Amino acid sequence: MIVTALAALQLSAATPLVVRDARRVVRVPTTAAAGGPMVRLESLQPMLPVAVSHDSAAWYTVEIWGTRMQLQTGVASVRVGDELRSLSGAPRLDHGHLVVPVQLISEVFPDAVPNVRWDDVTRQLVVFSVDAATRANLRTDAALSAPVRRPVRASTSTDATELPPPPRAPRGRRTIIVDAGHGGVDNGMSGPIGGGPRIYEKDITLAVAMKLGERLRARGVDVVYTRTTDTLIALDDRGHIANRAGGDLFISVHVNAASPTWQDPAGARGFETYFLSEAKTEDARRVEQMENAAARFEDSPNVGRDDPLGFILSDMQQNEHLRESNELATLVQQRLRSIEPGPSRGVKQAGFRVLVTAYMPAVLVEIGFGTNAREARYLSDPTSQDAIASAIAGAAMDYLSAYERRVSGSRAGFGSER
Ligand SMILES: [Zn+2]
């Protein structure tokens, strides 16, 4: 967690509280108070299933997705499970509505409430994708459940059996976002080193992405492409497209380039799949810098500013999607291994901007090295592109069926499958 008491105090009183999910952004009005801005708790209801009940005298219980918090008007603390946490101000009543410090939402919610995180950079409460049907079910479940205290997710624990985020309800159809890397003025990498027919990453990624989409559609999956032509799409917009479409998975296709500082750059070969996290190795940092550099072609005002990516990332470690993304990445590598002539370079982690904005399991596949003459030839051959697309589509289908099994398994009892 990266939030601090200071951060909450820095919010200007007039600043509305911003709550965002995959589809909407809601600005909730706040009022100034000595201990920092206050907000009417029920105004979060369009985005979160907040239920406030008046227990007795000054005591109130707030329930969100099974998490219960007890508040007392006039007292600057909140009880979450067995833990008592201090608040920057005391909750109070305003025309019969409970008004609480914004700090409750920025600091306590991320530790206690499933499916939310506080983005300290943009000062927003981010609510992860839970579709309307699931929300409705969860609300009903919470209302019907006996008044027993459910376990509270501790901020330090990642034990999935404790209180897993609510699973999305299985649906008839799934949506996969297929993202062809680069495009337009951004060629991506070009190769190979030492000459031969010139290849541009943006052309290969588009060809493979289109084939991947066709194969997924043939298997009954809805596909949304971030681009279908040679055009530049800002890195952040790719994630926004994915969120608007309510995607279940995000797959970004790229071609790798060897570092000129390597001993034998022309000889580097192989495929690797990344999921979003902080770069763990020097090599992962190289690929991260290379792919994030595409932002220099964008002229959106947001892109110019330096995102403290590490900030967002350290917070996103809490994100349920990391585990899912890791699993998808593993399946992609397994499938590619069975068809690609080059070596598997494994599943890796790095902070790709294109993955940061997609609130769903997301991977970035480097399908080979365009700097290597043999792989450049392989990657530009339509037959190989077919095979690569089939392999990635197969991995996505494997992932989805494993996911469906897990979700239905989790209904019977959490943790029974893993
Ligand atoms: Zn790329």
Side-chain angles (χ1 to χ4, degrees):
M1 274 297 112
I2 49 172
V3 285
T4 63
L6 257 184
L9 293 173
Q10 281 162 0
L11 287 170
S12 128
T15 311
L17 169 66
V18 180
V19 186
R20 182 182 78 193
D21 67 12
R23 291 176 182 81
R24 295 167 299 172
V25 177
V26 170
R27 277 162 225 286
V28 179
T30 63
T31 51
M38 306 281 286
V39 63
R40 192 183 276 196
L41 201 51
E42 282 157 342
S43 51
L44 298 175
Q45 265 167 355
M47 307 294 276
L48 283 172
V50 182
V52 180
S53 53
H54 186 192
D55 300 335
S56 62
W59 284 97
Y60 291 81
T61 296
V62 175
E63 178 155 348
I64 307 170
W65 276 319
T67 292
R68 282 200 177 85
M69 288 168 276
Q70 277 152 337
L71 296 159
Q72 200 180 358
T73 51
V75 178
S77 63
V78 57
R79 181 167 288 285
V80 189
D82 295 326
E83 196 189 358
L84 193 66
R85 301 198 38 174
S86 54
L87 295 176
S88 61
R92 59 180 170 80
L93 270 197
D94 178 27
H95 296 93
H97 298 284
L98 194 60
V99 176
V100 299
V102 168
Q103 173 251 354
L104 170 73
I105 289 139
S106 66
E107 287 188 27
V108 180
F109 275 25
D111 294 342
V113 177
N115 259 349
V116 303
R117 75 179 175 91
W118 177 257
D119 186 338
D120 207 35
V121 177
T122 54
R123 303 207 177 285
Q124 296 181 349
L125 184 74
V126 179
V127 181
F128 291 117
S129 51
V130 179
D131 56 36
T134 311
R135 276 179 197 214
N137 287 339
L138 287 162
R139 202 168 301 161
T140 316
D141 288 349
L144 293 177
S145 62
V148 289
R149 190 174 287 162
R150 296 193 191 180
V152 171
R153 190 180 62 182
S155 58
T156 47
S157 171
T158 50
D159 184 354
T161 58
E162 237 184 307
L163 185 60
R168 295 176 65 152
R171 299 192 308 228
R173 289 179 79 84
R174 292 277 167 191
T175 302
I176 296 183
I177 315 300
V178 176
D179 176 49
H182 312 274
V185 292
D186 174 16
N187 290 327
M189 68 78 56
S190 66
I193 294 170
R198 193 122 197 97
I199 64 154
Y200 292 102
E201 178 177 4
K202 64 171 182 178
D203 300 327
I204 291 173
T205 60
L206 183 59
V208 171
M210 297 308 289
K211 288 172 186 290
L212 170 59
E214 283 162 28
R215 273 161 190 69
L216 290 169
R217 279 183 176 158
R219 294 168 184 233
V221 171
D222 289 332
V223 171
V224 173
Y225 299 97
T226 53
R227 69 178 180 101
T228 55
T229 57
D230 183 14
T231 179
L232 178 68
I233 312 279
L235 290 178
D236 293 349
D237 287 344
R238 295 172 191 259
H240 295 147
I241 292 170
N243 295 335
R244 271 199 301 277
D248 295 290
L249 291 182
F250 182 92
I251 302 173
S252 191
V253 179
H254 288 259
V255 175
N256 218 334
S259 161
T261 63
W262 288 352
Q263 232 168 32
D264 175 23
R269 295 169 59 220
F271 51 94
E272 57 200 25
T273 304
Y274 285 84
F275 66 98
L276 179 74
S277 188
E278 278 185 278
K280 292 278 191 253
T281 65
E282 201 48 51
D283 190 43
R285 263 189 293 279
R286 174 189 62 82
V287 178
E288 172 185 307
Q289 273 167 16
M290 185 169 72
E291 302 299 4
N292 287 347
R296 72 184 181 275
F297 294 101
E298 302 160 7
D299 44 30
S300 135
N302 289 335
V303 179
R305 83 188 151 84
D306 249 336
D307 268 335
L309 193 60
F311 245 39
I312 301 171
L313 290 171
S314 58
D315 205 23
M316 284 196 67
Q317 314 264 345
Q318 310 281 335
N319 185 345
E320 62 183 289
H321 297 313
L322 289 190
R323 193 179 56 199
E324 306 286 333
S325 302
N326 185 359
E327 204 168 302
L328 174 61
T330 306
L331 291 166
V332 170
Q333 282 301 112
Q334 275 169 10
R335 287 279 187 153
L336 285 177
R337 198 177 299 131
S338 65
I339 58 115
E340 282 227 18
S344 167
R345 298 166 61 91
V347 169
K348 299 183 176 181
Q349 309 177 33
F352 292 111
R353 271 183 85 128
V354 68
L355 302 184
V356 167
T357 40
Y359 294 107
M360 61 198 71
V363 295
L364 185 148
V365 193
E366 297 279 357
I367 56 175
F369 275 84
T371 37
N372 176 268
R374 217 161 107 199
E375 293 210 344
R377 221 173 20 251
Y378 173 79
L379 294 173
S380 36
D381 171 29
T383 312
S384 326
Q385 292 172 351
D386 280 335
I388 293 168
S390 290
I392 300 173
M397 299 312 292
D398 288 349
Y399 171 85
L400 286 181
S401 47
Y403 179 83
E404 298 288 358
R405 271 201 306 277
R406 215 157 47 234
V407 169
S408 45
S410 72
R411 296 247 155 87
F414 285 120
S416 56
E417 286 232 0
R418 329 184 82 209

